[in-house]
């Protein structure tokens, strides 16, 4: 091979750039993505965006209607500006939605890949233990765990992570077992590579994709569950603004200011449906391979 | 034969691969713990020898154990019993740890697409093996590109492509390059050209012949296509239901097969010769189940020349003979009507 | 086939044991004093010890587990600390209410979900499909407790057509099959039906689209089968999986009814769970979780068996 600059090698776009291109062509997914982006920005820059102090209460100005003086979206049962609380609430709500899924993704994938690749007794032990947790309906498990551990953000995060590890681990194990049986993994073993190298080079690249897509579909569920926990009084504690908690405290207001009471839930809904549509779009973009 | 490769140990006379008593059974799942477990006797006592520099063809029907044998040779599956000796050293023993063995023996699989990681570029796939054995990344990539050129794929066009962008024939070339990247001495080709179109198949076969010369390789060529085997092989091994039926020089085996099964196989080869029309199937019945093989000689249920003694006695195979066969007809003293007594010697070519 | 069934049933036993273990562990890892709701704060140490012994809290954990399991197998789930009534009775009564709600919700969800799913799958990529799919996504994404609140606002507060809470007039929890009581069932059931509707619609849509793309459909049409005939074949093909999903959804609703029941003050297991958590009533909590989890496990096995019976491809020797 000469050292003189040869014409560049033909290369084709990698897997993820193809996925991205296909995703960008899907209008619904793009719209959902924009909403998600806005929500994330709202979460990050929350404190700077609030027009009023989200914690300042006023007994005189309780449950003001939408459009009242100084309260563009009304005020809650303690007289706090609802708009500000909704904006700041994005932080906690999104955090509680994404973090458990993130942790569960890391831990669940690790367990699933280990079980799927090792096979035999290791697989049986891990998967049967996971099956026991999988035998509980997720809402029940989340509430039982939260109820047992006590209210609070940390406990809620812990219980939600535990709830999401089994389904993610199952998907990871299933895909890993499939990949392990493929010829190219056998060829890699035939080259004398050790298990870690094979997993790193050959298995992970083919497993992370599908598991990631599955995990993204769990984000909305996690958000709804986390808010649900707060709604029951098991998650975030007052006076922190979190949409589920706000739904709880505003419940009694449905007779006097119904639409105020419904607002926090609307935020959860918008967030959830955007994440779901984005996840759907991602799945379609990844599926149409060959 | 040209000068021996650098890792040669035993000299030209020593066989490259000696297989003795290779055995592998697969237990089947059972529903209830007290039910007896059925077992698939995939490879049930196989012996043969691969000489340096030859091409050994391996033929047989589906289910005869060819692919399992290939995987056992590569130690991708562990044998239940038996021994594999590579150039005088026992595989897996102190002389020849598995990792070193894996550098010297490589395999090309049938499914060209499934053999390549869809997430890696062609050159990364090829460079993986050498890197496992210690070569630096840049050097490995250099070697990968060099090999691509040698298998007829221009590096500039192909090195950074992904497997799904290549045709079947091109992918198989990549697989061959991948196998050669660790500089092996023995290449096992498990139906490597079976899935390709005929014209592409011819090209790849020619490539294999060239590479054998260039790199001083020994081939074990597994196939169900008897024409191809005849063209390529020096000697042929015929397998039936997990055991060796016959092993001999190609022409001798094809013109004068000793085992009735081989005869039937050859008779069933499709031919364009109008004088050799096939009016009836040479073999009756379905191949028996490897879970419950017939007693004695496994072929006796379908053999036109079978006699009662064939169900009682397992024919032995004498690998020292130039044309070895496992059939009671050729075993003097076996009480088969066509066998001679032990004092007679059969003349063989 | 029988062997497969037996095997499946045998495998369920260790899972049930594991579930019981997790139930027990969950509740006992709760920090805090289990008797805090019953004991007055100035209770003497003597009284405390007596009560501990009475409830068995003074024994070692494995012992407590063993005793609990043994009694549970005989139908005795202990006594609720807060109410003093036997747990089994409370739970069974609540289960009846929740079962009614969940079954109604699943039925509604299945009906509409299958309808939308079929329509979407048959008229793929048309506006009908898009509408049906949008409804499905809605069903899956909406926080059902919020939806409950919204429905209460619209139908109870604003329009005053339906009652906002409770299972019977005046908050009674004795059920009767008359309009007075059924009125109370409508809103919670509809709210709960939204999630299974979404999931079933999605599943059915995918299955129908996949089935229609299969080659045997072309074969049927080539034989001259009418559209309705093809439709029947597709239904037969899709039914096992759809029913399986429905069964699973019923299980989820049974276990996850707490949120809706809280919104509507429906006297079911969810409500019971809620009060058990907040009153830290360990025996009640344990018993309720156990019963709900076991229901789910049994339901799963049943779904599995029914699916195997309907779809011979699934059962393997």
């Amino acid at each position: 091979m000469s050292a003189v600059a040869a014409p560049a090698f033909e290369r084709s776009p990698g897997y993820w750039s193809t996925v991205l291109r296909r995703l960008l062509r899907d209008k619904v997914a793009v719209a959902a993505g924009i909403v998600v982006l806005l929500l994330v920005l709202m979460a990050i820059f929350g404190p700077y965006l609030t027009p009023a102090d989200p914690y300042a209460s006023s007994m005189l100005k309780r449950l003001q209607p939408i459009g009242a003086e100084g309260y563009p979206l009304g005020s809650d049962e303690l007289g706090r500006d609802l708009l500000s609380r909704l904006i700041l609430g994005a932080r906690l709500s999104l955090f509680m939605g994404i973090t458990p899924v993130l942790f569960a993704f890391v831990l669940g994938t690790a367990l699933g890949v280990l079980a799927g690749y090792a096979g035999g007794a290791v697989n049986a032990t891990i998967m049967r233990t996971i099956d026991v947790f999988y035998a509980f309906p997720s809402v029940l498990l989340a509430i039982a765990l939260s109820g047992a551990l006590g209210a609070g953000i940390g406990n809620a995060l812990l219980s939600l992570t535990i709830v999401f590890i089994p389904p993610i681990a199952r998907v990871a194990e299933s895909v890993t077992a499939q990949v392990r049986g493929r010829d190219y993994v056998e060829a890699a073993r035939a080259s004398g590579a050790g298990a870690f190298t094979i997993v790193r080079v050959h298995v992970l690249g083919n497993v992370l994709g599908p598991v990631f897509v599955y995990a993204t579909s769990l984000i909305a569920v996690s958000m709804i569950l986390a808010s649900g926990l707060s709604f029951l009084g098991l998650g975030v504690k007052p006076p922190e603004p979190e949409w589920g908690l706000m739904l709880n405290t505003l419940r009694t207001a449905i007779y006097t200011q119904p639409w105020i009471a419904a607002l926090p839930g609307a935020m959860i809904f918008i967030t959830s449906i955007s994440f779901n549509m984005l996840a759907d779009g991602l799945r379609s973009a990844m599926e149409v391979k060959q | 034969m040209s000068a021996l490769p650098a890792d040669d140990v035993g000299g030209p006379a020593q066989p490259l691969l000696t297989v003795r008593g290779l055995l592998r059974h697969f237990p089947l799942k059972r529903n209830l713990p007290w039910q007896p477990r059925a077992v698939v006797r995939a490879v049930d006592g196989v012996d043969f020898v691969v000489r340096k520099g030859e091409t050994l063809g391996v033929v047989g029907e589906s289910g005869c154990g060819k692919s399992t044998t290939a995987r056992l040779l590569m130690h991708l599956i562990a044998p239940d019993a038996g021994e594999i000796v590579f150039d005088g050293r026992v595989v897996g023993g102190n002389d020849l740890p598995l990792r070193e063995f894996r550098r010297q023996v490589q395999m090309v699989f049938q499914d060209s697409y499934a053999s390549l990681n869809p997430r890696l570029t062609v050159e990364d796939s090829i460079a993986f093996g050498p890197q496992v054995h210690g070569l630096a990344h840049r050097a490995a990539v250099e070697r990968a590109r060099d090999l691509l050129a040698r298998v007829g794929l221009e590096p500039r066009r192909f090195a950074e492509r992904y497997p799904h962008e290549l045709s079947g024939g091109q992918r198989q070339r990549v697989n061959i390059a991948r196998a050669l990247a660790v500089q092996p001495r023995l290449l096992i080709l498990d139906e490597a050209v079976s899935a390709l179109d005929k014209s592409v198949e011819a090209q790849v076969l020619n490539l294999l012949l060239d590479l054998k010369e260039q790199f001083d390789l020994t081939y074990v060529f597994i196939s169900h296509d008897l024409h191809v085997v005849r063209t390529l092989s020096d000697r042929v091994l015929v397998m039936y239901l997990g055991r060796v039926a016959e092993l001999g020089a190609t022409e001798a085996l094809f013109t004068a097969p000793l085992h009735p099964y081989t005869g039937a196989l050859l008779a069933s080869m499709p031919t364009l010769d109008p004088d050799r029309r096939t009016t009836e199937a040479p073999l009756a019945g379905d191949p028996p189940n490897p879970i419950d093989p017939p007693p004695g000689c496994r072929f006796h249920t379908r053999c036109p020349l079978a006699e009662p003694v064939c169900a009682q006695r397992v024919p032995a195979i004498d690998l020292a003979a130039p044309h070895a066969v496992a059939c009671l007809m050729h075993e003097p003293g076996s009480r088969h009507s066509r066998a001679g007594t032990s004092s007679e010697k059969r003349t063989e070519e | 086939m029988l062997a497969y069934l037996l095997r499946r049933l045998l495998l369920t036993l260790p899972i049930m044991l594991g579930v019981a273990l997790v139930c027990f562990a969950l509740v006992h890892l709760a920090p805090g004093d289990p008797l805090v709701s019953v004991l007055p704060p100035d209770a003497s140490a003597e009284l405390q010890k007596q009560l501990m012994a009475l409830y068995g809290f003074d024994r070692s954990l494995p012992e407590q587990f063993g005793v609990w399991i043994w009694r549970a197998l005989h139908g005795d789930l202990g006594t609720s600390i807060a109410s003093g009534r036997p747990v089994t009775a409370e739970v069974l009564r609540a289960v009846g209410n929740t079962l009614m709600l969940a079954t109604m919700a699943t039925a509604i969800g299945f009906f509409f979900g299958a309808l939308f799913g079929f329509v979407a799958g048959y008229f793929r990529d048309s506006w009908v499909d898009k509408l049906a799919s949008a409804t499905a996504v809605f069903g899956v994404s909406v926080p059902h407790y919020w939806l409950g609140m919204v429905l209460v606002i619209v139908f109870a507060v604003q329009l005053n057509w339906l009652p906002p809470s409770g299972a019977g007039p005046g908050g009674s929890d004795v059920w009767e099959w008359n309009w007075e009581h059924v009125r109370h069932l409508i809103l919670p059931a509809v709210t709960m039906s939204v999630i299974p509707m979404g999931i079933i619609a999605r599943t059915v849509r995918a299955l129908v689209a996949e089935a229609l793309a299969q080659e045997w459909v072309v074969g049927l049409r080539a034989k001259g089968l009418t559209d309705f005939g093809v439709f029947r074949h597709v239904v037969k093909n899709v039914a096992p999986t759809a029913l399986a999903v429905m069964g699973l959804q019923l299980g989820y609703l049974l276990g996850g009814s707490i949120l809706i029941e809280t919104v509507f003050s429906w006297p079911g297991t969810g409500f019971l769970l809620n009060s058990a958590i907040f009153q830290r009533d360990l025996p009640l909590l344990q018993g309720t979780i156990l019963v709900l989890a076991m229901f789910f496990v049994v339901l799963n096995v049943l779904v599995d068996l029914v699916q195997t019976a309907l779809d011979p491809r699934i059962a393997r020797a």
Side-chain angles (χ1 to χ4, degrees):
Chain A
M1 299 244 179
S2 74
V4 175
F9 275 47
E10 285 174 32
R11 54 161 60 217
S12 39
Y15 177 66
W16 289 107
S17 48
T18 320
V19 168
L20 188 63
R21 249 186 328 140
R22 222 178 268 129
L23 192 62
L24 288 172
R25 272 187 292 206
D26 180 352
K27 297 200 200 80
V28 172
V30 170
I34 293 179
V35 175
V36 167
L37 192 59
L38 287 175
L39 288 165
V40 169
L41 288 175
M42 194 160 82
I44 297 178
F45 296 108
Y48 304 105
L49 297 170
T50 53
D53 180 0
Y55 297 95
S57 58
S58 155
M59 291 316 277
L60 286 178
K61 295 285 191 178
R62 292 164 58 214
L63 296 179
Q64 294 292 306
I66 297 177
E69 172 87 44
Y71 295 103
L73 282 181
S75 66
D76 71 2
E77 79 288 357
L78 289 180
R80 296 174 288 204
D81 175 32
L82 206 57
L83 177 60
S84 307
R85 283 182 73 76
L86 284 177
I87 293 177
L88 195 58
R91 272 203 158 177
L92 267 179
S93 303
L94 276 176
F95 178 71
M96 304 279 288
I98 298 182
T99 316
V101 175
L102 193 61
F103 285 167
F105 177 66
V106 170
L107 291 170
T109 310
L111 279 175
V113 168
L114 176 61
Y117 194 78
V122 174
N123 179 310
T125 320
I126 296 181
M127 295 316 285
R128 294 295 85 78
T129 314
I130 285 185
D131 279 347
V132 168
F133 282 93
Y134 203 69
F136 287 82
S138 27
V139 180
L140 182 65
L141 188 59
I143 290 174
L145 274 169
S146 275
L149 294 170
I153 297 183
N155 290 334
L157 283 178
L158 180 61
S159 59
L160 284 175
T161 306
I162 294 180
V163 165
F164 290 123
I165 287 181
I168 291 183
R170 273 186 154 207
V171 171
E173 191 263 346
S174 162
V175 178
T176 303
Q178 261 183 43
V179 164
R180 191 185 188 285
R182 302 241 166 94
D183 284 346
Y184 60 85
V185 171
E186 267 202 297
R189 284 176 61 215
S191 311
F196 277 112
T197 316
I198 295 182
V199 167
R200 183 173 49 90
V201 175
H202 291 285
V203 173
L204 275 185
N206 286 291
V207 165
L208 284 179
V211 179
F212 177 72
V213 163
Y214 178 68
T216 50
S217 71
L218 289 177
I219 293 182
V221 176
S222 174
M223 271 207 61
I224 295 184
L225 260 186
S227 300
L229 283 177
S230 303
F231 178 69
L232 291 173
L234 286 172
V236 178
K237 289 195 270 233
E240 299 305 323
E242 196 268 342
W243 295 331
L245 182 60
M246 287 160 73
L247 259 187
N248 182 351
T249 51
L250 284 169
R251 258 184 82 202
T252 44
I254 56 174
Y255 296 100
T256 46
Q257 292 282 12
W259 303 114
I260 308 261
L263 273 179
M267 291 305 291
I268 305 177
F269 177 47
I270 293 173
T271 314
S272 157
I273 206 171
S274 310
F275 266 105
N276 268 337
M277 290 185 138
L278 186 58
D280 272 356
L282 188 62
R283 192 178 317 127
S284 308
M286 286 179 74
E287 236 165 49
V288 191
K289 245 233 136 182
Q290 47 291 98
Chain B
M1 201 165 49
S2 47
L4 290 166
D7 347 275
D8 188 87
V9 168
Q14 176 160 276
L16 187 58
L17 200 64
T18 309
V19 175
R20 279 194 275 264
L22 205 57
L23 197 112
R24 175 69 202 207
H25 292 171
F26 294 102
L28 292 177
K29 257 177 75 160
R30 59 185 169 191
N31 272 327
L32 302 164
W34 52 85
Q35 281 175 345
R37 230 192 248 279
V39 160
V40 177
R41 301 159 77 130
V43 173
D44 214 18
V46 161
D47 307 282
F48 61 89
V49 154
V50 181
R51 299 182 190 150
K52 291 183 183 173
E54 75 167 345
T55 298
L56 177 70
V58 177
V59 298
E61 289 169 300
S62 328
C64 70
K66 315 193 291 282
S67 279
T68 313
T69 306
R71 279 164 176 73
L72 285 168
L73 288 182
M74 292 279 326
H75 242 278
L76 284 172
I77 325 176
D80 289 330
E83 178 179 71
I84 304 175
V85 177
F86 185 77
D87 207 358
R89 298 175 291 173
V90 173
V91 172
N94 289 331
D95 285 338
L96 190 56
L98 260 188
R99 203 177 137 103
E100 176 54 27
F101 174 65
R102 294 233 165 104
R103 203 191 59 69
Q104 305 212 27
V105 181
Q106 281 291 304
M107 188 152 141
V108 178
F109 301 80
Q110 176 176 7
D111 186 345
S112 65
Y113 184 58
S115 313
L116 293 170
N117 186 340
R119 293 273 189 279
L120 291 181
T121 56
V122 159
E123 69 180 4
D124 281 336
S125 279
I126 301 176
F128 177 72
Q131 285 182 79
V132 167
H133 288 274
L135 202 58
H137 179 71
R138 287 213 59 193
V141 169
E142 282 296 312
R143 188 189 289 187
R145 292 182 181 172
D146 174 57
L147 281 168
L148 273 176
R150 293 216 198 204
V151 298
L153 296 174
E154 199 192 318
R156 222 181 6 258
R157 279 184 60 207
F158 290 100
E160 300 193 6
R161 293 277 181 197
Y162 288 92
H164 68 270
E165 303 174 84
L166 272 55
S167 74
Q170 291 166 336
R171 280 197 293 261
Q172 208 58 320
R173 290 170 191 262
V174 170
N175 277 315
I176 294 172
R178 181 177 48 74
L180 294 175
V182 293
Q183 296 170 329
R185 291 168 64 193
L186 174 63
L187 210 57
I188 304 179
L189 299 142
D190 187 2
E191 307 268 12
V193 294
S194 305
L196 303 172
D197 295 332
K198 280 296 168 194
S199 51
V200 178
E201 179 183 284
Q203 291 171 8
V204 175
L205 286 174
N206 280 326
L207 172 67
L208 284 171
L209 285 171
D210 284 339
L211 292 171
K212 183 161 179 254
E213 278 292 314
Q214 277 185 48
F215 288 102
D216 242 320
L217 298 167
T218 306
Y219 285 166
V220 171
F221 190 83
I222 301 174
S223 178
H224 59 268
D225 186 340
L226 295 164
H227 289 290
V228 170
V229 168
R230 186 173 191 170
T231 320
L232 223 56
S233 318
D234 300 312
R235 290 190 311 150
V236 174
L237 176 74
V238 180
M239 283 189 71
Y240 185 75
L241 224 55
R243 296 234 179 103
V244 174
E246 191 170 350
L247 170 61
T250 310
E251 280 315 301
L253 193 130
F254 271 74
T255 49
L258 294 180
H259 199 289
Y261 175 62
T262 317
L265 263 188
L266 295 176
S268 66
M269 279 165 66
T271 168
L272 293 172
D273 184 349
D275 294 329
R276 289 187 59 198
R277 294 171 199 273
T278 319
T279 43
E280 33 177 83
L283 269 182
D286 296 317
N289 203 331
I291 297 178
D292 209 2
C297 169
R298 301 201 162 180
F299 186 59
H300 81 259
T301 53
R302 296 160 89 193
C303 183
L305 302 168
E307 290 176 10
V309 64
C310 297
Q312 295 155 4
R313 186 164 154 170
V314 176
I317 187 165
D318 175 17
L319 283 176
H323 191 160
V325 60
C327 176
L328 292 179
M329 293 193 309
H330 302 289
E331 211 175 299
S334 69
R335 286 181 291 140
H336 192 288
S337 59
R338 287 173 184 242
T341 57
S342 9
S343 53
E344 288 181 30
K345 289 217 63 161
R346 289 211 73 237
T347 44
E348 276 149 12
E349 293 175 87
Chain C
M1 172 74 153
L2 193 60
Y4 175 76
L5 292 179
L6 266 178
R7 181 159 182 258
R8 188 71 181 81
L9 285 172
L10 273 180
L11 280 179
T12 317
L13 292 175
I15 292 200
M16 283 183 153
L17 188 62
V19 165
L21 197 62
V22 170
C23 273
F24 184 79
L26 268 181
V27 167
H28 282 264
L29 70 89
D33 181 4
L35 290 172
V36 73
S37 57
V38 182
L39 281 178
D42 58 348
S44 63
E46 184 63 38
L47 186 59
Q48 242 187 356
K49 260 182 60 184
Q50 274 187 347
L51 279 175
M52 293 273 274
L54 185 65
Y55 280 100
F57 290 138
D58 55 341
R59 301 209 198 121
S60 73
L61 279 183
E63 238 190 292
Q64 287 189 42
F65 179 61
V67 167
W68 178 61
I69 288 280
W70 181 247
R71 290 205 188 130
L73 284 174
H74 289 100
D76 173 16
L77 286 168
T79 316
S80 157
I81 294 183
S83 70
R85 291 196 287 258
V87 169
T88 317
E90 298 247 22
V91 171
L92 284 181
R93 194 168 43 108
V95 161
N97 289 329
T98 303
L99 208 51
M100 195 163 45
L101 183 58
T103 313
M104 184 67 61
T106 311
I108 300 177
F110 182 71
F111 178 72
F112 284 104
L115 186 66
F116 290 156
F118 252 97
V119 162
Y122 250 91
F123 300 109
R124 227 182 148 177
D125 291 330
S126 67
W127 66 268
V128 184
D129 177 16
K130 297 231 163 44
L131 187 63
S133 301
T135 322
V137 173
F138 169 82
V140 174
S141 315
V142 73
H144 46 300
Y145 45 95
W146 174 69
L147 182 65
M149 274 177 68
V150 169
L151 288 180
V152 164
I153 292 176
V154 171
F155 288 100
V157 176
Q158 307 275 36
L159 295 173
N160 217 349
W161 285 353
L162 293 167
S165 60
S172 83
D173 52 12
V174 177
W175 185 260
E176 283 159 50
W177 283 102
N178 52 31
W179 176 241
E180 275 299 307
H181 283 262
V182 170
R183 286 180 76 213
H184 287 262
L185 185 56
I186 296 179
L187 280 184
V190 167
T191 311
M192 255 179 126
S193 73
V194 161
I195 296 185
M197 183 195 76
I199 294 183
I200 289 173
R202 268 190 161 179
T203 313
V204 169
R205 175 187 183 273
L207 287 174
V208 166
E210 195 193 307
L212 285 176
Q214 298 279 325
E215 288 170 348
W216 52 262
V217 171
V218 180
L220 284 177
R221 288 224 166 96
K223 271 203 322 186
L225 200 56
T226 62
D227 274 335
F228 183 65
V230 172
F231 174 72
R232 278 176 53 217
H233 270 90
V234 171
V235 169
K236 262 177 35 186
N237 214 272
V238 168
T241 316
L243 286 173
V245 173
M246 178 186 88
L248 289 175
Q249 287 305 307
L250 177 63
Y252 273 117
L253 288 185
L254 269 180
S257 62
I258 179 172
L259 290 160
I260 300 285
E261 289 185 8
T262 305
V263 171
F264 288 97
S265 301
W266 184 264
T269 46
F271 203 63
L272 205 63
L273 208 53
N274 208 336
S275 46
I277 290 177
F278 283 104
Q279 292 172 318
R280 299 208 75 76
D281 189 343
L282 287 191
L284 185 61
L285 193 57
Q286 244 173 257
T288 316
I289 298 178
L290 184 69
V291 170
L292 286 176
M294 287 303 175
F295 251 100
F296 192 57
V297 170
V298 168
L299 198 63
N300 263 309
V301 175
L302 280 177
V303 163
D304 230 0
L305 295 179
V306 167
Q307 208 180 6
T308 307
L310 285 180
D311 187 351
R313 288 176 298 178
I314 296 186
R316 261 152 288 180

